[in-house]
Amino acid sequence: MILPFHCVLHCDRKGSSSLIVAASGDSIYSFAASTGSLLSSWSQSEVSSRTVHQAHNYGSGSADHEAACTERPIKRRKLSGSGEVSDSTSAEIVIDNDTKKPRRRKVKVAPISAVISIIVNSTGKHIVAVTAEDKCIRVLEVLADGKLQQISERHMPKRPCSVTFTTDESMLLCADKFGDVYALPFFEPFNDKKDGTNEQPMRFDQPKEEAKSKPFVPAATALTVHTKRNQQALKNQQNATGKTSEKKSLEFTHQLLLGHVSLLTDLAYVTVLVAGSISPSTRSYLLTSDRDEHIRISRGLPQAHIIEGYCLGHTEFVSKLCVPPWDHNSLLSGGGDDYLLVWNWLSSEVQQRVELKPLVAGLGKKIYQEPRRNIERPIIATGTGSIAVTGIWAIRTPGGQEDKHKGYIIVACERVPALVIYSWHENGTVEHHETLEVEGNVLDVATIPTQMSILYTID
């Protein structure tokens, strides 16, 4: 099955030709922006396939191994919601030892993880990719010829849902499905001093020595357990009292910044000028959204535990946040509501409410799967149904161009084959510019500010 490009971005390399980087399945491809030719591809399955190839070569010189391979096929593993995968995800070797029952040796191979998000730093030399199944954050280097080379990988305790850089791009911020936000150094090890000596500028999580040495003691006793099954379970617990309960800690430098009670959906890191200060100074903030209609405003590193306020105005989940690069005091948010909200997030005030349903109602036709006839109906009927925002992107108007607008806001909604484009005004409000109908559901959008053009992927 051919998978679509579900992630795409424009990589503007300073002093070199620009690239288009796109992700499909577990692979990441780099294309020349000028010609569209394929330059390189990186895939996680290449490592897994090499591991399986070594497993197949185990004992390949013996006749027993050849007979076993012809008798029993290689197993297939089913991943979450993705159906059967190729033979590169698992392997099984059957070895006959001249006995009645053959001995089977199973080789466990990590499942292939799809790339769910990619971001690029300001220099265009490094790409951060997030894979879903193995909950891993990978840093790839973009070489001079456009090839991608992995330089680090870090497995998180929970599945990441969004990543971003701090303002100076020295740290990575990762939000996961559990509701936590972690800070990771962009490169490992993190060198804070210029002389190269390692120093931790923040209090990173360290395992407690007391928790490691505390033995496990069962709460039940022989006086409180009577059935045979429970007595056997108690006996097994008493035999394990000599073991200590050790909590597995992450093997890389990290810091837990904050946590939400609900599932996190998106985050943004913003640096603004401090109003009223004698000398020009800046302050950073961390903006996070969750499934419970909340947008939290927290201070930036290293005071992310301090909550400055909340932006409360949604009645459904908040899925996407967007801070325009030309106006860091404004914020656009969207989710399960039928509208967008434009905020002055410093004061937690709604500047504008933008209705989406009148603009996307009736766009496109959906052919319902019926055995004898095809019925074409609008995807969203006027006044009925609901929509969900899947993406908000901002594209800046290039300098020197005679345009009264500073930039444009692009919005994509679930099950709507169109892109809704708004123009940004100087007073911090948006106005509908046009609705661009496309051939399918929009998965991701990449903006090219220098050419005032966009790239979009569809399913």
Side-chain angles (χ1 to χ4, degrees):
M1 181 180 67
I2 300 177
L3 299 175
F5 289 107
H6 46 268
C7 296
V8 63
L9 58 83
H10 176 249
C11 182
D12 185 11
R13 299 187 296 175
K14 308 300 181 182
S16 302
S17 58
S18 301
L19 302 177
I20 300 298
V21 180
S24 174
D26 69 324
S27 302
I28 302 177
Y29 303 89
S30 62
F31 303 88
S34 57
T35 61
S37 59
L38 177 64
L39 301 179
S40 173
S41 65
W42 173 92
S43 176
Q44 181 195 357
S45 60
E46 296 177 356
V47 180
S48 301
S49 61
R50 286 196 296 266
T51 306
V52 175
H53 180 69
Q54 295 175 359
H56 280 292
N57 291 338
Y58 177 82
S60 57
S62 61
D64 295 336
H65 175 265
E66 296 178 358
C69 290
T70 57
E71 292 177 0
R72 188 177 181 89
I74 297 175
K75 281 189 175 181
R76 292 177 179 266
R77 181 185 304 176
K78 183 176 290 186
L79 300 180
S80 59
S82 59
E84 290 187 353
V85 295
S86 61
D87 298 343
S88 61
T89 58
S90 63
E92 181 176 352
I93 301 174
V94 182
I95 303 176
D96 201 350
N97 292 335
D98 297 331
T99 59
K100 294 182 179 180
K101 294 183 178 181
R103 179 173 62 89
R104 296 182 177 91
R105 177 179 177 179
K106 294 183 179 180
V107 180
K108 294 183 179 180
V109 181
I112 298 195
S113 297
V115 180
I116 60 175
S117 177
I118 51 176
I119 59 174
V120 62
N121 63 346
S122 59
T123 61
K125 296 181 179 180
H126 295 90
I127 293 175
V128 179
V130 179
T131 50
E133 294 288 343
D134 57 355
K135 300 173 286 189
C136 185
I137 298 177
R138 292 177 165 85
V139 178
L140 307 177
E141 182 181 2
V142 183
L143 303 180
D145 55 356
K147 293 184 178 180
L148 305 177
Q149 181 179 0
Q150 179 176 321
I151 59 178
S152 69
E153 64 176 31
R154 283 164 279 190
H155 295 268
M156 304 302 297
K158 301 295 179 181
R159 178 176 296 188
C161 60
S162 180
V163 291
T164 188
F165 295 104
T166 55
T167 306
D168 58 358
E169 296 185 351
S170 63
M171 305 290 291
L172 278 173
L173 302 180
C174 169
D176 61 25
K177 294 292 185 180
F178 197 69
D180 296 331
V181 178
Y182 289 89
L184 316 172
F186 191 10
F187 300 104
E188 279 279 7
F190 180 71
N191 294 328
D192 185 55
K193 293 185 178 181
K194 296 183 179 180
D195 55 0
T197 58
N198 294 337
E199 180 179 333
Q200 296 180 351
M202 298 181 294
R203 236 178 2 176
F204 289 96
D205 298 339
Q206 298 293 339
K208 296 182 180 180
E209 298 296 334
E210 295 81 1
K212 288 186 175 182
S213 60
K214 185 178 180 180
F216 170 76
V217 179
T221 63
L223 299 177
T224 59
V225 175
H226 305 286
T227 63
K228 184 177 180 180
R229 179 180 297 179
N230 292 342
Q231 288 176 356
Q232 182 62 34
L234 176 61
K235 185 178 179 180
N236 295 337
Q237 291 180 2
Q238 291 174 348
N239 293 335
T241 53
K243 299 180 180 180
T244 58
S245 57
E246 297 183 3
K247 183 179 180 180
K248 186 177 180 181
S249 59
L250 300 179
E251 299 179 354
F252 51 85
T253 307
H254 66 282
Q255 182 191 21
L256 178 62
L257 298 180
L258 55 89
H260 280 233
V261 179
S262 179
L263 183 148
L264 266 175
T265 56
D266 202 2
L267 81 162
Y269 197 79
V270 190
T271 300
V272 296
L273 293 174
V274 178
S277 59
I278 300 177
S279 59
S281 59
T282 59
R283 175 175 292 179
S284 298
Y285 295 88
L286 180 59
L287 285 59
T288 52
S289 61
D290 61 24
R291 192 176 52 181
D292 289 342
E293 312 101 29
H294 301 144
I295 300 176
R296 182 194 293 186
I297 311 299
S298 307
R299 289 191 183 181
L301 302 178
Q303 296 178 324
H305 60 280
I306 300 177
I307 301 176
E308 291 287 341
Y310 288 89
C311 294
L312 304 177
H314 287 277
T315 58
E316 297 291 341
F317 63 89
V318 183
S319 59
K320 290 298 178 181
L321 301 176
C322 177
V323 177
W326 57 83
D327 187 358
H328 287 177
N329 294 326
S330 299
L331 169 70
L332 292 99
S333 61
D337 296 306
D338 298 335
Y339 51 83
L340 291 177
L341 290 181
V342 183
W343 300 85
N344 182 353
W345 57 268
L346 286 172
S347 59
S348 301
E349 296 179 355
V350 178
Q351 297 290 103
Q352 185 183 8
R353 171 171 167 163
V354 184
E355 298 293 338
L356 290 173
K357 183 176 290 187
L359 299 176
V360 301
L363 285 177
K365 301 292 182 180
K366 179 179 180 181
I367 299 179
Y368 290 84
Q369 296 180 356
E370 295 189 4
R372 297 183 179 179
R373 58 177 181 171
N374 293 331
I375 301 178
E376 293 186 357
R377 295 176 182 173
I379 294 179
I380 299 177
T382 305
T384 61
S386 60
I387 60 177
V389 176
T390 58
I392 306 176
W393 301 270
I395 179 172
R396 184 199 296 267
T397 304
Q401 181 175 344
E402 295 182 0
D403 198 329
K404 63 179 180 179
H405 308 300
K406 289 187 176 181
Y408 295 89
I409 303 298
I410 305 169
V411 181
C413 299
E414 186 178 8
R415 299 182 296 109
V416 177
L419 291 173
V420 185
I421 303 175
Y422 298 90
S423 58
W424 185 273
H425 294 283
E426 295 182 356
N427 58 357
T429 60
V430 297
E431 181 184 359
H432 179 248
H433 181 71
E434 69 172 315
T435 301
L436 178 63
E437 192 169 357
V438 297
E439 297 80 9
N441 298 323
V442 179
L443 301 179
D444 198 8
V445 172
T447 62
I448 307 178
T450 56
Q451 302 177 6
M452 278 298 294
S453 59
I454 61 174
L455 299 174
Y456 62 88
T457 62
I458 58 176
D459 58 3

